[in-house]
Amino acid sequence: MVKRVGCRGLCVNVLGVWASAIMLSANASAQTLPSVPVPSENPITEPKRVLGKILFWDEQLSSDNITACGTCHIPSAAGTEPRFGVNPGPDLTFVTPDDIFGSPGIPKADADGRYVVDASFGTGVQVTGRSAPTMINAAYAFDLFWDGRATGQFTDPETGSVAIAFEGALESQAVGPPLSDVEMGHPGRDWAMISSKLASARPLALATDLPLDVEAAIDSFPTYPDLFAEAFGDGTINARRIAFAIATYERTLISDQSPWDAFQLGDASALTPEEVQGWQVFQGSTCGICHVPPLFTDQSFRNIGVRPNNEDTGRQGVTGQPFDSGAFKTPSLRNVGLKSSFMHNGEFVTLQEVLNFYALPPGPGRFNVDPFIPSPIPPPDRGAVAAFLGTGLLDPRVANETFPFDRPTLRSELAANPVVTGAGVPDTSGTVPAMLVDNPPLAGSDGFRLGVTGIADGAQVELLISSVAPVGSVLTAEETVGPLTASLNGGTEPVATAFWPVPDDPTLDGLVLYFQWFVPATGVRSAVAEATIFCGTGGCSERCPGDVNADGEVTDSDFFAWVTAFVATPRSPEQEAACDVNRDSTCTDSDFFAWVTAFVNGC
């Protein structure tokens, strides 16, 4: 075993050349991927793997139920980001050379989860400052993220103790995004909040088309505490266990069944003639110095001069070393033909653009550039090399998302729910308040979030709710939230946010509700959000009809709750559902007798 020491820049390059020489000299000899490194502190088990798979694809791991780990790591996009998001870069100005093509995350929020109008992204989703690297074959990396800040020593973020001494980069990486206020969280979010949310969440309730192994696990262990107990011995949910489970799943995402793999193992027909030519050109070039087979990466950090160093110092931000300025992790070339963008800033969108880039000397503002740059492929050979990279290194299981790269369909991939419709009622200047809503109305969620902006600082606003569609641009409220006061809240424009808890009630499944913001002082109204409540995969919890106040018991207090709902004029959708004890879709005197029967029978 080679001990890695602190001479990161030159030493890694020398080791890369040495390793490349050995690998390339093997040429047609059999090459397969090495065994996956597994830390002794976190051995792979099947219950842990499937729990990690569930967590990785569950959008409920984010603060507002719109982003899963897998949202930015789609297998059929080579485990990277298929969507297109633009970050304005260091100059904070869009459509300039330093723009970054990263991953769309979540709208900006404050420590209480309330909307904040961002200076760059407004009320839309924020976009990461680097493109999303792949999680496929990431198990082999010493350090993860483009700058390697997720190290092999995994420190429990809640206790501060070292949970894995070596080979824990996947665990270190897993605990980053859930707390990021751009990717999945908001300022002040901590692991206690995440654990508490998971304890009451229905696993993958937002997803559809669950893989067979996931579906079987949830059928047998329908809650997260049940799943954690199966994987770890008891139902405790914490950061360490979440990281251990996700990392275990990721250690099984190994891509080693490309045509090149078959070719190396003796199948001369596995590669097309053009791919064979591309492989031969690849071997004769300097490409393999950094992209060492069979992983097609040397796991080092190099500055290839994509952008001026002052835009992003890369690895130097972690090590503090000048020789790491502008250096980023060498990505694997496996499945690269599925990617929609390339480089840490997503600057290129085709393999031909990448090959053309490597043929050019570094531009202005680039220093500390790797000595192997430029690394040109002769123009007549670039098509063959692109073919080898694009299809010769493509694992069909990754492209087709078959096991172990299978996944559920995410809620964000389905038709929008809620949708914003209507014109609203403008103020005297013609301005209509903007309805803000991004999270799905999942039954049982603790707060369906809606916001409004485009109103004056300090304005009093009300959120109107009804089961009856608006007439024109006016919604007649059956329930009102507020008044709430609009404030800058640390952003650039005033905003108000309401949280409307959605009951965990099967009778609400499919109920269409309408929401509209109203400013009483001026009469202006936002557009209307039309939301269809859904129970999601696994369904809502079955509630005893007599438990009117939904406290888990049928007691005298439910009688008073029923009377309150019965006499309410108008009734809110929740009151209508609570009053309808006999489930005939109406609230009448007969529901009182149905409640008495439920009370006598204990349900």
Side-chain angles (χ1 to χ4, degrees):
M1 186 175 82
V2 177
K3 182 178 181 181
R4 291 180 292 125
V5 292
C7 59
R8 176 61 95 179
L10 178 60
C11 291
V12 167
N13 285 345
V14 171
L15 287 173
V17 174
W18 171 76
S20 178
I22 292 176
M23 298 306 299
L24 294 179
S25 67
N27 200 0
S29 63
Q31 297 181 18
T32 58
L33 292 184
S35 299
V36 176
V38 180
S40 59
E41 300 91 336
N42 187 23
I44 294 176
T45 67
E46 178 59 13
K48 204 188 304 176
R49 180 200 69 83
V50 75
L51 169 59
K53 187 173 184 177
I54 293 167
L55 288 167
F56 188 88
W57 292 105
D58 200 334
E59 290 155 302
Q60 295 174 103
L61 193 60
S62 69
S63 60
D64 54 3
N65 293 350
I66 66 170
T67 305
C69 299
T71 303
C72 304
H73 299 281
I74 300 296
S76 58
T80 63
E81 175 62 80
R83 301 170 299 166
F84 184 82
V86 183
N87 181 299
D91 69 359
L92 302 180
T93 303
F94 288 99
V95 197
T96 56
D98 70 345
D99 285 0
I100 298 161
F101 304 99
S103 294
I106 63 176
K108 190 172 184 177
D110 68 4
D112 296 317
R114 299 174 297 180
Y115 286 103
V116 174
V117 181
D118 184 73
S120 295
F121 303 105
T123 59
V125 297
Q126 303 170 92
V127 176
T128 59
R130 293 172 183 160
S131 65
T134 184
M135 79 294 193
I136 298 172
N137 289 357
Y140 294 105
F142 305 124
D143 309 290
L144 287 168
F145 289 123
W146 280 107
D147 57 11
R149 66 187 183 275
T151 67
Q153 178 175 286
F154 170 55
T155 301
D156 186 320
E158 292 185 283
T159 66
S161 62
V162 174
I164 296 177
F166 306 101
E167 299 176 331
L170 285 172
E171 286 81 357
S172 296
Q173 186 277 331
V175 296
L179 298 187
S180 166
D181 55 19
V182 172
E183 298 177 61
M184 299 177 74
H186 57 70
R189 193 183 198 212
D190 59 26
W191 285 102
M193 295 177 184
I194 295 172
S195 298
S196 176
K197 180 179 182 180
L198 291 178
S200 59
R202 298 189 302 278
L204 282 177
L206 292 165
T208 58
D209 306 318
L210 302 189
L212 293 178
D213 55 346
V214 166
E215 186 174 36
I218 294 176
D219 283 346
S220 298
F221 308 100
T223 72
Y224 269 117
D226 292 339
L227 288 164
F228 274 82
E230 177 67 6
F232 294 101
D234 64 67
T236 302
I237 302 174
N238 55 37
R240 180 186 302 210
R241 288 181 168 185
I242 291 171
F244 275 26
I246 291 176
T248 296
Y249 164 60
E250 291 178 323
R251 286 192 177 96
T252 67
L253 300 179
I254 303 303
S255 173
D256 60 357
Q257 294 185 20
S258 70
W260 179 86
D261 291 293
F263 184 80
Q264 291 302 105
L265 293 173
D267 183 355
S269 65
L271 293 176
T272 68
E274 186 180 33
E275 291 167 350
V276 171
Q277 179 190 352
W279 168 228
Q280 291 171 343
V281 173
F282 182 92
Q283 294 177 91
S285 72
T286 55
C287 298
I289 292 173
C290 304
H291 298 285
V292 182
L295 289 170
F296 287 89
T297 173
D298 64 355
Q299 308 290 8
S300 68
F301 299 87
R302 298 172 184 266
N303 182 352
I304 60 173
V306 175
R307 295 295 303 163
N309 292 48
N310 62 2
E311 290 183 6
D312 190 336
T313 60
R315 181 66 172 164
Q316 185 182 23
V318 176
T319 66
Q321 299 297 326
F323 55 69
D324 280 328
S325 177
F328 295 91
K329 189 171 187 63
T330 302
S332 172
L333 298 180
R334 284 181 175 267
N335 305 300
V336 72
L338 297 174
K339 295 187 67 174
S340 57
S341 67
F342 303 87
M343 309 302 181
H344 69 277
N345 65 344
E347 181 166 339
F348 305 124
V349 296
T350 69
L351 285 170
Q352 285 291 350
E353 288 181 344
V354 174
L355 294 176
N356 293 343
F357 160 78
Y358 277 113
L360 301 174
R366 283 80 162 171
F367 59 89
N368 188 45
V369 177
D370 195 277
F372 298 106
I373 300 298
S375 182
I377 298 292
D381 294 327
R382 291 178 192 172
V385 172
F388 166 65
L389 298 176
T391 54
L393 293 178
L394 177 60
D395 189 325
R397 300 171 303 159
V398 175
N400 298 324
E401 296 189 339
T402 57
F403 187 85
F405 307 103
D406 55 337
R407 66 176 181 93
T409 300
L410 300 176
R411 177 61 49 175
S412 59
E413 296 175 294
L414 301 177
N417 179 26
V419 294
V420 178
T421 62
V425 177
D427 60 17
T428 55
S429 68
T431 301
V432 176
M435 167 66 76
L436 308 178
V437 59
D438 64 307
N439 54 325
L442 174 67
S445 63
D446 58 1
F448 177 45
R449 183 178 68 174
L450 303 101
V452 61
T453 190
I455 50 180
D457 190 20
Q460 297 289 297
V461 296
E462 296 176 348
L463 179 65
L464 312 181
I465 307 170
S466 179
S467 59
V468 179
V471 177
S473 296
V474 176
L475 186 71
T476 301
E478 296 174 331
E479 180 180 348
T480 301
V481 177
L484 302 172
T485 303
S487 66
L488 290 173
N489 199 28
T492 60
E493 297 178 33
V495 64
T497 305
F499 296 91
W500 189 73
V502 187
D504 182 15
D505 188 340
T507 65
L508 300 180
D509 194 22
L511 175 66
V512 178
L513 295 178
Y514 302 89
F515 301 81
Q516 185 177 49
W517 287 99
F518 175 59
V519 184
T522 61
V524 303
R525 294 170 180 259
S526 71
V528 172
E530 179 183 327
T532 302
I533 295 176
F534 64 99
C535 284
T537 299
C540 288
S541 302
E542 289 295 329
R543 196 180 85 193
C544 172
D547 184 17
V548 180
N549 62 8
D551 65 354
E553 300 178 303
V554 181
T555 64
D556 294 346
S557 62
D558 290 296
F559 169 73
F560 298 105
W562 182 85
V563 171
T564 299
F566 181 76
V567 302
T569 306
R571 297 190 190 99
S572 70
E574 305 101 304
Q575 289 172 323
E576 191 73 41
C579 183
D580 182 21
V581 178
N582 63 9
R583 300 295 192 254
D584 64 356
S585 301
T586 61
C587 184
T588 63
D589 295 346
S590 62
D591 290 294
F592 167 73
F593 299 104
W595 181 85
V596 171
T597 300
F599 178 78
V600 171
N601 293 332
C603 182

